[in-house]
Amino acid sequence: MIYPIVKYGQPVLEQKAETITEFDTAELRKLVEDMFESMYAARGVGLAAPQIGVGKRLAVIDISNGEEPEKKLVLINPEVIAKEGTQTGEEGCLSLPTFRETVTRPKTVTVRAQDVEGKTFEMTGEDLLARAFLHETDHLNGRLYITHISPLKRDLIRRKIRKLQKANEWS
Ligand SMILES: [Zn+2]
């Protein structure tokens, strides 16, 4: 099932998501499957559950855009446990469509997370994958990438969005 993506302005995007405690259930597997489907439909490389209106600590990532099945990643209750270096590049978010901003982030990031069965694993990513780990973990903490840009640029985006909301072009 393809969920519509929740856009900036909805409270669920700025709330801390809840820890998942039940694993290996049909419900969780279905949610993961639906999240991949929704992410591919929206042409994203990552999607966090709050972006489909589900306030749970779950994110999916596929930096190959569905080209390489082994690149599909499911992060449940992820935590960033190490970061190193810096990278500067453009970042966007499915919840803030059409906007892209330059964001400086660590270059190498290690996350600790659980899989669908509840097994804990650690994984290190570089460049785009490192960025995805941080972006998605931020989502689960109620944080959007625009909190990493200058207040001036953030206000400009907020103002543009308010205009779109008034014109009913943002829902
Ligand atoms: Zn995002």
Side-chain angles (χ1 to χ4, degrees), residues 12 24 27 32-33 37 43 46 54 63 67 78 85-86 89-90 93 101 103-104 106 116 123 132 141 151 160 171:
V12 69
D24 213 8
E27 195 192 353
V32 167
E33 192 187 303
E37 222 182 299
R43 299 178 179 279
V54 176
I63 59 165
E67 299 286 314
T86 56
E90 277 215 329
C93 179
E101 290 294 332
V103 183
T104 299
V116 179
M123 193 174 189
N141 293 323
K160 283 181 185 166
S171 58

Side-chain angles (χ1 to χ4, degrees), residues 10-11 16 38 40 42 45 55 57 62 78 82 88 108 117 151 159:
Q10 299 287 319
K16 198 170 186 295
S38 306
Y40 292 134
V45 295
R57 303 186 78 78
D62 180 359
T88 297
T108 309
E117 277 96 40
R159 243 179 289 147

